[in-house]
C-alpha cells in the first residue's frame, strides 16, 4: 500500500524548488488568491514555528504578529497557489518545533540570527 502511495506522489505531485528553511527562520510566502474571476498575489511574512510531514503531505506553520494579536497559518508545501518563498533571516533555535514562541512577548520573543 505504501509503495502505491509513493508511486502516485512521485507521478502526480509536482515538486517546487523552494529554498531550505526550518524552525526559527523568518520567511515571506507569496501565494495566489482568487476572488471571483480575479486573482491577486498576497504575502505572509513571519517566523516558521514548525515543519511536519514528508513528501506530498509536508506542511509548515508560520506565525506573525498583527498588532498585538498573533496570527498563525499552515501552508502545504505542494499547494498549487504557492508562488514563491523568500528566506529573510535565518534563526538560531534549539528545537524543531518552537511552540514556546507563542507565549513569549517583548524582547524575549526575539530570535538570534544564525550566521553562515
Amino acid at each position: 500500500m505504501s509503495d502505491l502511495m509513493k508511486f502516485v506522489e512521485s507521478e502526480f505531485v509536482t515538486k517546487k524548488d523552494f529554498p531550505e528553511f526550518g524552525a526559527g527562520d523568518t520567511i515571506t510566502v507569496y501565494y495566489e488568491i482568487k476572488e471571483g474571476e480575479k486573482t491577486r498575489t498576497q504575502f505572509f511574512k513571519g517566523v516558521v514555528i514548525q515543519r511536519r510531514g514528508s513528501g506530498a503531505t509536508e506542511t509548515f506553520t508560520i506565525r506573525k504578529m498583527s498588532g498585538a494579536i498573533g496570527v498563525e497559518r499552515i501552508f502545504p508545501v505542494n499547494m498549487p497557489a504557492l508562488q514563491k518563498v523568500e528566506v529573510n533571516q535565518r534563526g538560531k533555535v534549539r528545537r524543531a518545533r518552537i511552540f514556546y514562541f507563542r507565549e513569549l512577548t517583548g524582547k524575549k520573543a526575539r530570535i538570534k540570527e544564525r550566521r553562515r
Side-chain angles (χ1 to χ4, degrees):
M1 186 68 175
S2 65
D3 295 334
L4 180 63
M5 291 291 291
K6 288 179 184 176
F7 173 74
V8 171
E9 285 178 8
S10 65
E11 289 293 319
F12 297 108
V13 177
T14 59
K15 288 295 279 182
K16 297 186 178 184
D17 294 327
F18 293 133
E20 290 293 321
F21 63 90
D25 295 348
T26 303
I27 64 172
T28 305
V29 178
Y30 294 88
Y31 58 98
E32 198 173 83
I33 291 181
K34 289 186 179 180
E35 296 173 335
E37 298 194 10
K38 297 180 188 175
T39 60
R40 64 184 176 90
T41 300
Q42 186 169 330
F43 68 92
F44 194 90
K45 181 179 179 180
V47 177
V48 178
I49 289 187
Q50 71 172 345
R51 284 187 77 155
R52 73 182 307 165
S54 63
T57 61
E58 185 177 1
T59 62
F60 57 96
T61 305
I62 301 178
R63 179 180 176 85
K64 75 172 183 177
M65 293 303 292
S66 180
I69 299 171
V71 179
E72 290 185 10
R73 176 134 189 195
I74 300 171
F75 291 98
V77 171
N78 295 314
M79 185 167 85
L82 277 185
Q83 292 179 340
K84 67 177 178 175
V85 174
E86 291 179 352
V87 178
N88 301 69
Q89 180 180 359
R90 303 259 180 207
K92 181 182 178 188
V93 292
R94 295 169 63 179
R95 299 279 180 270
R97 297 182 176 166
I98 55 174
F99 296 128
Y100 66 88
F101 191 65
R102 294 173 177 159
E103 281 80 42
L104 301 180
T105 58
K107 288 186 176 182
K108 291 181 181 180
R110 287 188 290 186
I111 296 177
K112 287 186 177 180
E113 187 172 0
R114 185 174 64 204
R115 303 281 176 163
R116 286 229 167 177

